[in-house]
Amino acid sequence: MKLVTIAVFALATASSLVNGYAIKGDVVNCRSGPGTSYSVKRTYKKGQNVSITCQQAGTSVNGNNIWDKTSDGCY
């Protein structure tokens, strides 16, 4: 039982340490809604950390229709 408690605590602690996800592309557009038809609100540069607040279905891009909403309020 102690081992399970320690493992759960370790996972909870590790997940709370993540401040954001690094941008992998050279420049990534952040749009006003979950789709390519929405206007670009801002851009992120490669290596910049971005916090994700939720996910929403939208326009499919390369077979994936899940869009991440950032703490900046764009997708």
Side-chain angles (χ1 to χ4, degrees):
M1 185 64 171
K2 265 188 179 178
L3 184 57
V4 171
T5 303
I6 291 170
V8 169
F9 177 74
L11 281 173
T13 302
S15 65
S16 67
L17 295 176
V18 175
N19 290 328
Y21 297 91
I23 296 297
K24 304 286 184 193
D26 289 331
V27 177
V28 174
N29 292 328
C30 198
R31 298 180 176 274
S32 60
T36 55
S37 62
Y38 290 90
S39 63
V40 175
K41 287 179 67 175
R42 66 169 296 160
T43 58
Y44 298 110
K45 295 180 181 177
K46 188 173 189 170
Q48 189 173 353
N49 284 335
V50 178
S51 296
I52 306 301
T53 59
C54 69
Q55 294 181 318
Q56 185 173 337
T59 303
S60 181
V61 176
N62 296 326
N64 183 359
N65 73 333
I66 301 300
W67 288 67
D68 298 323
K69 186 173 186 179
T70 69
S71 59
D72 297 318
C74 55
Y75 295 83

